[in-house]
Amino acid sequence: MKTLAYGFPKLGEKREFKSLLEDFWKGKISEKDFIDGMNSLRVWMASLYSGYVDLFPSGDLSYYDFMLDTAISLGAIPKRFGDYKGLETYFQMARGAQALEMTKYFNTNYHYLVPELEGKDFRLFKNIPLEEYKILKEKGYNPIPKIIAPYTFLKLSKVLKKSPTSPIPLYELSKIESQKDMEDYLDAIFPAYEEILKDLASKGVSQVLMEDPALCLDMEDWEWDLVEEVYGCLSKHVDIYLITYYDSVSNYKRFVELPVKALGLDLVSNRENIQNIREHGSPEDKILIAGIINGRNVWRANLKEKLNLVEELYKINKNLIISNSCPLFHLPVSVEPEDSLPEGLKERLSFAKEKLRELQTLKLAFEGDSQALKEVELSERVALTGVGVKEDIRKRIASLKEKDFQREKPYAERILIQQEILKLPLLPTTTIGSFPQTEEVRKTRTAYNTGKISEKEYKDFIRKQIEHVIRVQEEIGLDVLVHGEFERTDMVEFFAQKMEGIATTKHGWVLSYGSRVYRPPIIYGDVHRPKPMTVEEIAYAQSLTDKPVKGMLTGPVTILNWSYYREDIPKHEIAYQIALALLEEIKDLEKAGIKIIQIDEPAFREGAPLKRRDWKEYFDWAVKAFRLCSKAEPQTQIHTHMCYSEFNEVIEYIYKMDFDVISIEASRSKGEIISAFEAFKDWDRQIGIGVYDIHSPAVPTKEQIRSVLERSMKVLPVELLWVNPDCGLKTRRWEEVVPSLKNMVEVAKELRKELVRT
Ligand code: GLN
Ligand code: ZN
């Protein structure tokens, strides 16, 4: 039996990856230093892998994103980027003014760049898998090149249909849906894959790791036919180690018949794969890659249980490799440096490095190593149970009634009361909440956290920031103001630190996209709110202005989805616990005179399971959690915000959340979002479709902003529309934010005038 691991976090022990990228972007280091630095990170990763496991890939270190790398390898580069000029073009595609759309990778918080297919002429353009392989090979390692499989690549790509009348970036992207289209695209793309594999084979490569997680989505028979055909062709050139993850494969029988060398299954995310193995066996002429160590959650495995499973699997198929259940980049590098976790928690945790060690221990124990067997015994004892139990919270959850999930008045009545109080103009303008987190803000927070300045000094500083941002917004002429979120590092971590039952780490960074990192909190006990969390800052902001200030909360589903969570109680119960804590906060905000409250749910969609059959259960409790926390007074206007949410498929569930106003990201794929509303005839809620992309430093022109609004006005009644950027502004600089918002407000004012006239 062998061990395999893949997807190790590329960030490095001290976030070296982030520094290299950002220094390079700022021109602080040369291209050569950048590449050298990245290569030493590759070597660091390979040396870690090889210290623990038998098999591991090259290609876990993309400079930005592995989907982008695959697109470039296959020559799928939209024409607007011109001739490919190395890293310059690479980063234009990733983060330039006309960058590719970004969206969440399956049900995770990792964002990939969506390949845009402009035509069908794919070819071997740049063999990135080979380049990565060679670097490690030269250093004496023996990695397996890794690449995203054709089917998954196409499922995650979008076809670019430029509408002749609209200027960039107003173009339309759509998924490949029909059988005919999928057939055509696969036909066009697999020869390019063959070129890549042939090229690899000619350099002595005999095995390739192919990631095909889309095989876990709902699939039709014809899709399986196509996938089978493709693997038949690809397998001629190299041995394919096919891995799937995040869910069970959609058709086990078809899966095990695929003509590949090794078949990888996620045995953690649900029970279906393992039941299928038990029921239908595992063909012994193929290697079974059993993903038994959870790649997404932080708990130490119960190795006793896992060892039993390994023994059972080995009886079924002696060609056995054990591995992580999904890529490890959802985890921080290591628990080692954590020194301030709540008592007893550290021993229970296992991050990426510790997961590698668990695989190694399992293998040694399987071979009868006595030290490893001792560790296996020990690990069983630390399995998490009954930590931080709060009886009163459990009781409150158990006694929830239907009416706890229902606002007192229906929307049609609420809106009248709210408008009476708020008196907002047509096309009200606002922002999503955060304003630039400048170097000064971050430094002052660090100074406070390390005891260099007092709490009073810190609070005074935050007050000054709030006052400044209120004045700036008034000057720009926005209608609904925000306090700027200067006191928050991260929208989830901030609340996690204020709630009990949730731990936060010091070094547990994880990449969400590009160089953006966050530290997911760890929900380990029953969650509650010991005291108000946001009232002080928001009430202060409101005291400075006559315009309404929106209170800002992070929603229960997002807090849960962006945290690691305990596995000893059902997920929905955790969500309800968080929701009750937030409801208490809303009551306090109302008492403080706040009239609008935004409950951000950017991770609402991403928690949805891969298969439609599981959606109802998920959305039922997710919607209920939101409704539970948003049971405000009828006169309080409840906003929510979502980003990258692939709206079309979930709009019915979103509607059930019963908010008054929603703002959504749309600037890189606005056509698609707007079409969702075209299809949903009964839509009556107010909505702000992001009028420009905050992920790019470019200042949007008035024409660009206007075209989004005009487009929206064709589909939705103008009375429902709000005007806002597509997400929070915290990663932008003031020099970008002020002119952008000015343009936005001017466009709104112009449109109002024109609408009155007509
Ligand atoms: N209110 C948050 C902000 O503006 C929302 C961020 C998000 O949706 N990711 O930063
Ligand atoms: Zn957002």
Side-chain angles (χ1 to χ4, degrees), residues 432-434 485 491 552 562 598 600 602 641 643 727-730:
I432 306 302
S434 60
E485 301 182 25
M491 60 186 294
M552 281 293 152
W562 284 352
Q598 179 171 309
D600 289 324
H641 165 72
C643 25
C727 198
L729 301 166
K730 73 172 177 204

